[in-house]
Amino acid sequence: MRSVKEAWKAAVSAAVVDILAEKGADAGLAASVIPESPPDASMGDIGFPMFPFAKALRMGPPQIAAAVASRLSAGSTPAGTAKAVGPYLNVFLDRPSIAAASIAARTAGQSYGRSSSLSGSRIMVEFSSPNTNKPLHLGHLRNDALGESTSRILRANGAEVMKINLVNDRGVHICKSMLSYMVYGGGRTPEDEGKKSDHFVGDYYVKFNDLKKDDPQAEEKAQELLVKWEAGDADTIALWKKMNEWAVGGIRRTYERTGISFDKYYYESQIYMTGKEEVQKGLASGAFFKAEDGSVRIDLSPIGLEEKVLLRKDGTSIYMTQDIGLAIHRHVDWPFDRLVYVVANEQQYHFKVLFHILKSLGYEWAKNLYHLSYGLVNLPEGRMKTREGTVVDADALLDSLRELAMEEIQAKGREDAVENPMETAEKIALGAVHYYLAQATPSKDMIFNPKESLSFNGNTGPYIQYMGARISSLIRKRDKGEGKAGAGSIRPELLTADSEWELVRLVATYPEAVEQAGAEYNPAIIAAHLYATAAAFSKFYHDEPILTCDDPDLAATRLALSEAVLVVLKNGLELLCIPFLEAM
Ligand code: ARG
């Protein structure tokens, strides 16, 4: 579709240039030939407003539109016709040729919507970054959905993508879980208690609150444990290892459940020292300076901020120090062109400063660092909160969504129609949560409404899954010989109804949505396109007979269009980590 638009833009520009030249006006003005979408398909498929040329030509826009139209009709143009519609030059595309191209998507299959817009670039995407003292929560689900789908979208546009996870496995938080396990754990294991291992660790972190009541020195003891850990004390390290394995093992099971994966794991415990050397080098090169108190700092006035400490006066590092070392280390590991950090917007300052520091150190790639910043996600008041009432546990949320989906399957009496009701319920739950998270603008805070997310109607994952299942069922029926489609042949020129053209247009512009989503790191663009496509299919299905159509050619063509729509839904859902369902 884009190539058609581009060709029309070129043709209209050429006509405008000629008219400007005839009147002795500046031909450069033709740069203002900019395509728009007319509000209604009956007015045309592309509109070019003529207002920008009125002054130079001393003509009214409708007059200019008429002049451009007559010039175009005299010469050769791309397929389609141009007409003056008031102050606009509107183009009516040659629908049969676009319909034919859209229908061809059905045979392109998985490759439909892929582009080479990012071919040759190597992009590292960091996301999730859990702490090992507790299981994943709702905020991680948003982070993971955003990181995984952005990575898939970048890959669909030809980039080579490396998905990485930075596990925060050291620090006082994990020492707190360790300490309360030492006091209350009695050597028990997650298996002993039949608990998912990350929840087992998280429960000891919560129990640290009790420990503080039992032992006023608990906080200091946790700090001492961290010092022992840094000194390499064997018992401390052994317990730390064991608890980290439990935590990471459990967290990985949640990733598997949600379809999230990584190409590489980085562990803070292994890299937290690397930044120190880099800061020393920066001090030597003059990028940083030593303050009177002995700390190493950077002057951030070039970006309008205060000074920032990079190494404390006792030589210990801070969060920033570690990220400096880590970025450099990663570039050595896998020389990337771009590095994307999927991290909550509360760390905006951190990344702004980090990127500036890396540029100051002279790294060429530092100009291609990007903070994919996202907002908070909360539940509607008073729902599904954990005991502490603060975070919403990811596994518990998925379980309750699955339960609600199961109830829906039972209420609709669909247990026999779907192959495995429990599995289907799980896939619907995942579709509900991933879609709801994907459709929101990443940078904005949002409320996750579990009931709403599961609705089979409206802008939801299950609605799109349902439309996919419906088309799959139509195709199964055709393949079994139902209806007359089998006897007909595909003739794109038969697709003349408005609802058909809307579907043709959405199939044709899907690749543009994939490209735009990649350029903007924004899965919400795919979500919006899928919803529009599903809604348009629903209207088509309601308005026109498909399988039951009397004319075999029209039936065959409508089914072929439905198959093309199915390809778009399948490929788009895949990009959003939403399972496709053949039946539901
Ligand atoms: N684990 C950190 C947190 O919970 C986020 C890490 C973000 N990544 C980074 N390279 N700083 O806040």
Side-chain angles (χ1 to χ4, degrees):
M1 187 90 151
R2 185 183 356 234
S3 56
V4 179
K5 274 192 218 158
E6 288 298 322
W8 268 104
K9 185 181 163 187
V12 175
S13 297
V16 170
V17 165
D18 287 350
I19 297 172
L20 287 166
E22 270 170 21
K23 300 264 171 169
D26 174 14
L29 266 178
S32 300
V33 171
I34 295 163
E36 290 179 0
S37 296
D40 186 319
S42 68
M43 291 164 73
D45 304 306
I46 318 171
F48 295 92
M50 293 292 125
F51 308 102
F53 320 110
K55 206 168 155 212
L57 292 174
R58 270 173 274 133
M59 281 162 80
Q63 235 184 318
I64 306 172
V68 175
S70 83
R71 191 167 287 266
L72 284 168
S73 67
S76 76
T77 62
T81 43
K83 277 188 202 149
V85 179
Y88 292 87
L89 186 277
N90 285 0
V91 173
F92 294 75
L93 295 175
D94 179 51
R95 294 187 173 189
S97 66
I98 294 182
S102 286
I103 287 174
R106 65 196 255 280
T107 47
Q110 287 184 338
S111 69
Y112 190 64
R114 291 184 179 270
S115 87
S116 55
S117 61
L118 296 173
S119 286
S121 60
R122 287 159 70 90
I123 309 179
M124 190 178 258
V125 183
E126 181 208 288
F127 63 102
S128 202
S129 303
N131 299 324
T132 58
N133 59 326
K134 51 185 181 223
L136 302 179
H137 54 71
L138 179 53
H140 287 110
L141 289 181
R142 186 172 193 189
N143 181 313
D144 294 347
L146 203 50
E148 179 71 36
S149 58
T150 299
S151 301
R152 293 184 185 192
I153 291 165
L154 295 171
R155 270 183 192 150
N157 285 298
E160 194 183 335
V161 175
M162 170 87 126
K163 297 183 287 177
I164 59 166
N165 192 352
L166 171 65
V167 179
N168 183 5
D169 62 344
R170 69 167 281 280
V172 76
H173 57 284
I174 178 76
C175 291
K176 288 179 180 173
S177 297
M178 285 159 64
L179 196 62
S180 78
Y181 179 74
M182 285 158 77
V183 176
Y184 304 116
R188 282 188 297 275
T189 66
E191 295 80 53
D192 291 341
E193 297 190 2
K195 237 183 227 170
K196 191 162 169 282
S197 55
D198 50 339
H199 289 262
F200 181 86
V201 174
D203 288 349
Y204 284 101
Y205 185 71
V206 173
K207 274 201 191 113
F208 185 76
N209 289 322
D210 298 338
L211 186 59
K212 280 200 288 194
K213 285 176 208 138
D214 293 349
D215 180 355
Q217 251 110 54
E219 291 280 356
E220 285 149 52
K221 286 184 179 166
Q223 285 296 342
E224 281 163 26
L225 207 53
L226 181 60
V227 174
K228 272 175 136 180
W229 180 89
E230 294 201 354
D233 175 65
D235 289 347
T236 309
I237 299 278
L239 177 60
W240 170 81
K241 269 208 172 120
K242 186 158 80 176
M243 293 192 76
N244 263 319
E245 269 163 28
W246 285 336
V248 175
I251 288 170
R252 278 180 186 253
R253 275 173 56 194
T254 307
Y255 291 148
E256 278 162 28
R257 178 177 186 181
T258 52
I260 306 299
S261 68
F262 298 92
D263 301 307
K264 186 173 169 127
Y265 279 74
Y266 283 88
Y267 295 89
E268 284 197 20
S269 59
Q270 289 164 10
I271 49 88
Y272 78 106
M273 301 293 272
T274 59
K276 289 189 186 186
E277 279 167 45
E278 301 299 336
V279 172
Q280 293 300 348
K281 283 192 217 158
L283 184 60
S285 76
F288 311 140
F289 68 94
K290 197 158 214 146
E292 270 174 33
D293 67 356
S295 61
V296 179
R297 303 183 181 198
I298 180 167
D299 168 20
L300 294 176
S301 60
I303 54 168
L305 296 170
E306 310 269 295
E307 293 176 353
K308 170 87 188 158
V309 173
L310 302 177
L311 271 183
R312 294 201 193 89
K313 56 175 179 265
D314 61 3
T316 54
S317 56
I318 56 166
Y319 183 39
M320 188 66 76
T321 327
Q322 174 184 302
D323 257 330
I324 296 169
L326 187 55
I328 296 166
H329 177 83
R330 283 171 178 171
H331 192 267
V332 172
D333 269 4
W334 194 77
F336 51 77
D337 302 304
R338 295 193 220 171
L339 168 54
V340 179
Y341 294 88
V342 184
V343 181
N345 58 16
E346 64 201 10
Q347 296 198 29
Q348 242 149 23
Y349 166 86
H350 176 77
F351 287 102
K352 185 174 176 189
V353 173
L354 173 65
F355 298 170
H356 173 73
I357 291 172
L358 290 164
K359 276 183 214 151
S360 311
L361 289 172
Y363 291 101
E364 179 43 33
W365 43 265
K367 63 179 191 300
N368 295 327
L369 300 172
Y370 183 75
H371 176 200
L372 177 38
S373 168
Y374 64 92
L376 289 174
V377 41
N378 279 310
L379 289 185
E381 211 51 273
R383 279 176 175 235
M384 288 200 282
K385 286 189 175 167
T386 57
R387 273 164 291 151
E388 317 92 270
T390 45
V391 293
V392 184
D393 177 70
D395 294 312
L397 178 68
L398 290 165
D399 288 347
S400 68
L401 286 171
R402 180 175 59 195
E403 223 165 277
L404 288 169
M406 193 63 199
E407 283 168 18
E408 188 71 25
I409 292 173
Q410 284 162 344
K412 287 199 158 77
R414 301 285 298 163
E415 288 129 298
D416 294 333
V418 302
E419 215 159 282
N420 179 338
M422 208 49 181
E423 231 171 70
T424 304
E426 170 83 3
K427 289 179 176 172
I428 294 172
L430 209 56
V433 68
H434 277 173
Y435 184 84
Y436 207 94
L437 295 169
Q439 54 78 38
T441 304
S443 60
K444 292 201 175 131
D445 288 352
M446 66 183 289
I447 303 276
F448 175 71
N449 186 326
K451 263 236 135 73
E452 206 176 280
S453 78
L454 275 165
S455 167
F456 282 30
N457 257 310
N459 188 9
T460 68
Y463 173 72
I464 296 166
Q465 287 174 315
Y466 179 62
M467 232 29 97
R470 200 165 231 198
I471 301 173
S472 304
S473 148
L474 272 178
I475 292 166
R476 277 194 299 271
K477 286 182 183 160
R478 178 201 62 189
D479 292 348
K480 273 193 264 162
E482 273 185 49
K484 295 186 181 153
S489 45
I490 298 170
R491 289 168 52 207
E493 72 277 13
L494 297 181
L495 299 176
T496 52
D498 285 348
S499 64
E500 290 164 340
W501 173 246
E502 182 60 5
L503 277 178
V504 163
R505 196 185 63 77
L506 284 159
V507 170
T509 51
Y510 172 72
E512 293 164 37
V514 176
E515 223 177 290
Q516 193 193 346
E520 297 175 16
Y521 305 100
N522 186 2
I525 291 167
I526 305 288
H529 200 91
L530 291 186
Y531 176 57
T533 308
F537 186 82
S538 173
K539 187 172 184 325
F540 166 63
Y541 186 86
H542 180 268
D543 291 355
E544 313 294 341
I546 305 172
L547 198 65
T548 55
C549 182
D550 270 341
D551 172 354
D553 288 356
L554 188 54
T557 311
R558 285 181 175 161
L559 272 151
L561 176 62
S562 304
E563 280 179 292
V565 170
L566 189 64
V567 163
V568 166
L569 296 183
K570 270 189 181 167
N571 293 356
L573 289 175
E574 171 77 21
L575 294 179
L576 300 181
C577 313
I578 297 174
F580 175 78
L581 287 165
E582 292 284 345
M584 70 186 272

